[in-house]
Amino acid sequence: MTDSLVTSGANVIGTYVTDTARDEVEKRAENADAVSYYQVDLTEQAAVNTFAETVVDDHGSIDHIVGLAGGFSMGSVTDTDVDAFQAALNRHVTTAFLTVKAFADQLDEQSGVVLFSSERAINPVGGTLAYDVGKGAVRTLTESLDTELDARLNAVAPFLIDVPGNREAMPDADFSEWTAPEAIVDEVLHLLSNEGVTGQIIRMTGGQPELEE
């Protein structure tokens, strides 16, 4: 995602929680050195507010927000305790809420905000309860913020994104049913630049590129 934003000409600001997470991103991303990274826990309001103030001091303002924070988790209702449930809500919807809240006064009708929900929030399949509820909350947050802010609020809702971490967690799954990262990146860039789309939850099931023979 950050590589495509950088190559599109955007001045990209990224966040990370641990040094290990940042190192992993820098290994994967070709244009990591062009991204301004800040260490912040996006589940803590005071930390996010401080982060927003620092960004304004360093960069002046922001134009768009892409809410990438999250993480997949397994577990049915009998397997999920309250701590795991709350952790999923924090990962998915608290991070998005606090980030948009901290920068809300900088967003206008030219701004685009894209959050990440999931097809599982629309059609739950069982066995991923906390994840499904967290992504469902992102869906509602997107629709609610769209009624309150001048910015264009949209969310993408893939089934599962075909990235190495997900393949490692579910090695026996049918990867052909998962959504290619490239398709999601293209849709996010479209939503950031298209002034005619707002308040939408874009379902992205499938999306694997055709392989050349």
Side-chain angles (χ1 to χ4, degrees):
M1 180 65 69
T2 54
D3 281 337
S4 295
L5 289 170
V6 168
T7 56
S8 73
N11 179 17
V12 181
I13 297 166
T15 65
Y16 66 98
V17 179
T18 66
D19 291 334
T20 299
R22 177 173 177 174
D23 290 343
E24 290 176 354
V25 169
E26 291 185 335
K27 289 177 182 177
R28 294 196 308 267
E30 295 180 4
N31 297 312
D33 57 347
V35 178
S36 299
Y37 281 107
Y38 294 83
Q39 186 172 22
V40 56
D41 183 349
L42 295 177
T43 68
E44 296 291 338
Q45 183 166 348
V48 178
N49 288 342
T50 299
F51 162 63
E53 292 170 1
T54 302
V55 167
V56 171
D57 289 342
D58 292 349
H59 301 276
S61 64
I62 67 162
D63 299 310
H64 308 290
I65 295 174
V66 179
L68 290 171
F72 188 68
S73 58
M74 301 290 291
S76 66
V77 63
T78 56
D79 302 325
T80 304
D81 61 22
V82 67
D83 291 335
F85 187 80
Q86 189 61 59
L89 292 177
N90 284 340
R91 268 196 309 273
H92 300 296
V93 72
T94 301
T95 54
F97 163 70
L98 290 178
T99 301
V100 176
K101 178 179 175 64
F103 290 100
D105 60 351
Q106 298 183 48
L107 302 173
D108 57 27
E109 63 276 2
Q110 303 299 319
S111 302
V113 177
V114 180
L115 303 180
F116 274 65
S117 183
S118 171
E119 173 67 17
R120 290 172 182 260
I122 301 168
N123 289 310
V125 298
T128 53
L129 177 72
Y131 176 85
D132 297 354
V133 174
K135 289 300 191 181
V138 173
R139 176 187 180 185
T140 303
L141 177 67
T142 301
E143 295 170 338
S144 297
L145 289 173
D146 186 60
T147 68
E148 296 189 8
L149 301 179
D150 292 331
R152 290 169 284 105
L153 270 292
N154 295 287
V156 292
F159 176 60
L160 277 170
I161 304 175
D162 191 4
V163 294
N166 284 340
R167 288 199 176 209
E168 292 172 6
M170 292 166 281
D172 298 325
D174 182 359
F175 304 140
S176 67
E177 296 181 355
W178 295 8
T179 306
E182 297 85 355
I184 296 172
V185 170
D186 289 345
E187 184 60 34
V188 170
L189 293 176
H190 169 72
L191 292 172
L192 291 178
S193 61
N194 191 326
E195 297 181 8
V197 180
T198 189
Q200 302 300 306
I201 311 300
I202 310 298
R203 300 171 71 176
M204 303 190 68
T205 55
Q208 291 287 351
E210 294 185 5
L211 298 178
E212 295 183 359
E213 297 293 340

